[in-house]
Amino acid sequence: MSALTREEAALRLADQRPSPGPGRLLRAGWYLLLIALVAAGGVAIAHRTAHGLAATNLTSITPWGAWIAFYIYFVGLSAGAFLLSSLIYVFGMARFERLGRMALLTALVAMIVALTFVLLDLGRMERALSALVYFNWLSPLAWEMRFYVIYILLLAAELWFAMRADLVRRAERSRLARWLSFGSRSPDTGRDHRMLRILGTIGVPIAIFGVHGGTGTIFAIVKARGMWFSALTPIVFIVSALVSGTALLALLYILRQKALKRPVNAGMVADLGKLLGGFLLVDLGLLFYEFLVPLLSMAPHETSVVHLMMEGPYAWTFWILQLGIGMVAPAILLMTRLRESVPLTALACLMVVVGIVGVRFNIVVPPLIEPVLQGLPAGQYFPNAVEWWTSAGIIAMGLLLFSVAADLLPVDEEVHEIGGTAHD
């Protein structure tokens, strides 16, 4: 990568100066909150395990609900965060380099959370590994499970190579760093950067076609469900992943810098805002065609789902949560000079992260409400308390994993030669 500019070097040096960090009371409160939510979620999970899916509002008519919506939400966050890391390690966009390790850690944790949601949704959780033991060449789900395993291993390896040199430097004063360095002693980063480029290059098609595009394919091949059976569905999943992953990383960076009382790189945040704004515009364009084509087709099983989303009981999730909070409002903030304000960019990113939940809910639930054959009963679904508490506990588990890892591991880039090159 290119040499660091004077301003970038100064900001990176400021990142590594000892900082007071969040107060002990604030840190303790954060961890206590997460632990309490994990405990509450654990109780709800125990109830679901004891009573099966009867403890939820899921039915044979509407077999998927909040857990599957959160599953594709976190798979999208993971794929989007990884693809943003590839801009750094594969395509050499040095201005985002300080986000590289955090992007990989976010992708790894989000994938763990996503698969936990899938596990919870299975009627027989003890049979989860059957998808890996048995294989059907024509099953997208069979391929998807194997892509997930490869992707998680790749994320772990790439994160290790990104941190390896700093783990070696910390090995003398940290037992954890010494253990995680796996006997490596050389602080030279040349080989690490080459491995990051190789792993990132392998990971890009896996993340696009195997992980989130593949997740979209699971929905796209279901002919009987309106708004699913479309070649556009996997593409929508991929673009939405770029939107949500970029928003989450920008928000995490700003919040982490503020919590650690470090300066925020306003230029990098503005660049992320431009990137996110561009992804949002593409996403809005795809949304337009998602609705235009079914409406022009006049196929009843398609138009009925569109009307349900726009006028039915879930209309608020589309107009307010998905379109208003998740797309239009942040696009206005990010496509104007307002993005030069770090707080407004953070607000736009928060709106996207929240609004994408509505996107995922509208992908999963409305198509399952409409009966597939005339005369069959329509579905009815809204998550009950067990589903909400289990979801809160799993999300808190992910935040707890991220927080502990960020506290114990060298997630932030460490500066060793100011004014030198960022990479070989």
Side-chain angles (χ1 to χ4, degrees):
M1 292 186 181
S2 58
L4 295 172
T5 67
R6 188 184 301 273
E7 180 184 1
E8 289 170 335
L11 280 166
R12 293 187 67 183
L13 180 60
D15 277 355
Q16 302 307 322
R17 286 174 181 159
S19 60
R24 289 185 178 180
L25 188 61
L26 180 62
R27 183 187 295 269
W30 172 246
Y31 277 110
L32 284 174
L33 173 63
L34 294 181
I35 292 171
L37 288 173
V38 170
V43 173
I45 290 172
H47 181 74
R48 174 259 177 267
T49 303
H51 298 278
L53 295 179
T56 71
N57 277 347
L58 299 172
T59 66
S60 58
I61 299 173
T62 312
W64 287 350
W67 292 335
I68 294 299
F70 279 121
Y71 150 64
I72 61 176
Y73 174 75
F74 280 98
V75 170
L77 288 178
S78 177
F82 172 76
L83 291 173
L84 189 61
S85 78
S86 70
L87 295 180
I88 302 161
Y89 297 124
V90 178
F91 300 103
M93 299 181 71
R95 62 183 179 277
F96 298 134
E97 186 176 8
R98 67 186 66 241
L99 294 176
R101 298 178 189 180
M102 188 165 64
L104 293 170
L105 176 61
T106 300
L108 183 58
V109 171
M111 203 63 206
I112 294 171
V113 172
L115 294 182
T116 306
F117 274 112
V118 170
L119 177 65
L120 205 59
D121 188 75
L122 296 177
R124 297 289 297 273
M125 290 190 286
E126 72 276 10
R127 296 181 179 178
L129 293 180
S130 295
L132 287 175
V133 175
Y134 304 102
F135 184 70
N136 183 336
W137 288 91
L138 299 180
S139 169
L141 183 59
W143 285 103
E144 194 70 0
M145 289 298 294
R146 285 151 181 80
F147 276 125
Y148 286 164
V149 173
I150 296 170
Y151 176 66
I152 289 172
L153 293 174
L154 186 142
L155 286 175
E158 195 167 350
L159 181 60
W160 184 80
F161 278 109
M163 298 188 301
R164 188 203 62 82
D166 288 330
L167 289 171
V168 170
R169 293 184 182 95
R170 294 185 178 190
E172 293 183 1
R173 62 182 188 273
S174 169
R175 182 178 300 177
L176 178 64
R178 184 164 58 253
W179 181 74
L180 290 176
S181 63
F182 297 112
S184 181
R185 296 182 180 180
S186 172
D188 178 62
T189 59
R191 180 172 171 270
D192 297 331
H193 299 151
R194 287 191 294 273
M195 287 302 301
L196 285 169
R197 191 174 297 114
I198 292 170
L199 291 173
T201 302
I202 296 171
V204 168
I206 291 176
I208 292 175
F209 300 107
V211 176
H212 209 45
T215 304
T217 303
I218 295 174
F219 290 81
I221 62 172
V222 182
K223 295 182 180 180
R225 297 295 179 180
M227 301 291 287
W228 283 3
F229 185 56
S230 169
L232 193 62
T233 302
I235 300 171
V236 170
F237 271 59
I238 294 166
V239 174
S240 186
L242 290 170
V243 171
S244 60
T246 304
L248 179 64
L249 280 177
L251 183 62
L252 285 176
Y253 168 74
I254 295 169
L255 293 178
R256 183 168 167 78
Q257 293 299 99
K258 293 293 186 181
L260 296 175
K261 298 180 173 61
R262 293 173 176 171
V264 175
N265 187 333
M268 186 188 72
V269 170
D271 287 340
L272 283 171
K274 291 178 185 177
L275 199 62
L276 178 57
F279 291 149
L280 273 172
L281 289 181
V282 175
D283 204 19
L284 279 166
L286 290 175
L287 181 67
F288 171 76
Y289 282 109
E290 267 191 288
F291 283 83
L292 179 67
V293 173
L295 287 173
L296 292 179
S297 72
M298 298 184 186
H301 74 292
E302 298 277 4
T303 56
S304 61
V305 176
V306 173
H307 288 303
L308 180 64
M309 291 175 63
M310 290 186 167
E311 303 171 355
Y314 307 113
W316 66 273
T317 65
F318 174 73
W319 292 109
I320 298 175
L321 192 58
Q322 176 176 342
L323 196 61
I325 296 176
M327 292 183 172
V328 175
I332 292 172
L333 290 174
L334 296 171
M335 298 307 293
T336 64
R337 294 181 64 87
L338 293 173
R339 67 171 175 266
E340 296 176 4
S341 166
V342 171
L344 287 179
T345 299
L347 176 62
C349 292
L350 177 62
M351 287 192 290
V352 170
V353 169
V354 172
I356 292 293
V357 175
V359 175
R360 302 315 190 198
F361 183 88
N362 284 321
I363 287 174
V364 173
V365 176
L368 292 173
I369 299 299
E370 291 297 314
V372 293
L373 292 174
Q374 188 174 3
L376 292 178
Q380 186 176 0
Y381 174 78
F382 194 79
N384 67 6
V386 170
E387 293 171 85
W388 283 122
W389 279 112
T390 52
S391 299
I394 295 170
I395 293 170
M397 177 197 73
L399 290 171
L400 185 61
L401 287 174
F402 180 88
S403 299
V404 171
D407 280 345
L408 297 180
L409 300 176
V411 174
D412 299 308
E413 296 281 346
E414 294 190 3
V415 178
H416 308 293
E417 288 188 37
I418 301 300
T421 58
H423 284 302
D424 293 359

